[in-house]
Amino acid sequence: MNTEATQGTAPVATRTISVAPEQFRISEDGSTGTLLGSRCKECKTAFFGPTRYCRRCTSDRVEPIELSGEGVLRSHTLIFRAPSGWTGPEPYALAEVELPEGVAVRSRLTDWTEGEQLEIGSSYEVVVTPVGQDEEGNVLAAYTWSRTGSRS
Ligand SMILES: [Zn+2]
């Protein structure tokens, strides 16, 4: 929780908070995020997010790891009617990006524009995207994909 908040007239420091803290850790300043996963010590298979047992060999010798923030587009689908509660643009592109660890991570492609053709195999990097705000004014953010090199 935010311990910087003070009473009176002092400005309240707000933070950027991950909506999926077990899968995505956001830096103190909110500018960068790290995808989190697990790796089986037996068969070396990596997974997105925490897991107690290896989903391949069922071993419980699983350790938490940081995943790469960059991967290649494996598949995508266009969403023309978003699920209820969606506040982003419509239509939007939902994609699976495969990381070097062999893990596929599904999220929105933030810089896709309607009508644009997507190319399987092109590079994407994970970015921190604000999706809302909590009652204390903190920014809630999720991981999404952006074309590699599209921001500097
Ligand atoms: Zn395993």
Side-chain angles (χ1 to χ4, degrees), residues 18-147:
S18 175
V19 294
E22 293 189 317
Q23 298 171 323
F24 191 51
R25 187 177 60 226
I26 297 174
S27 63
E28 257 332 284
D29 67 358
S31 66
T32 57
T34 306
L35 292 169
L36 303 175
S38 348
R39 181 187 282 125
C40 174
K41 291 180 178 177
E42 300 290 342
C43 72
K44 310 296 181 202
T45 306
F47 303 95
F48 179 44
T51 183
R52 278 189 67 185
Y53 298 98
C54 174
R55 296 198 279 273
R56 182 160 173 241
C57 76
T58 72
S59 167
D60 63 355
R61 296 187 61 227
V62 176
E63 61 182 347
I65 58 168
E66 292 185 355
L67 296 167
S68 303
E70 197 178 315
V72 295
L73 184 65
R74 278 286 166 255
S75 68
H76 57 83
T77 182
L78 302 181
I79 309 295
F80 289 91
R81 296 191 62 179
S84 65
W86 175 257
T87 55
E90 275 183 296
Y92 64 94
L94 193 63
E96 256 186 9
V97 171
E98 189 178 318
L99 305 179
E101 292 86 358
V103 178
V105 177
R106 181 187 285 210
S107 191
R108 185 164 68 89
L109 300 180
T110 44
D111 42 19
W112 178 79
T113 51
E114 192 169 0
E116 179 192 340
Q117 294 296 309
L118 292 168
E119 200 179 319
I120 299 298
S122 50
S123 294
Y124 283 83
E125 62 189 346
V126 73
V127 291
V128 177
T129 300
V131 293
Q133 217 175 38
D134 70 8
E135 56 280 0
E136 290 164 356
N138 297 306
V139 175
L140 301 174
Y143 54 89
T144 62
W145 295 110
S146 174
R147 264 189 301 279

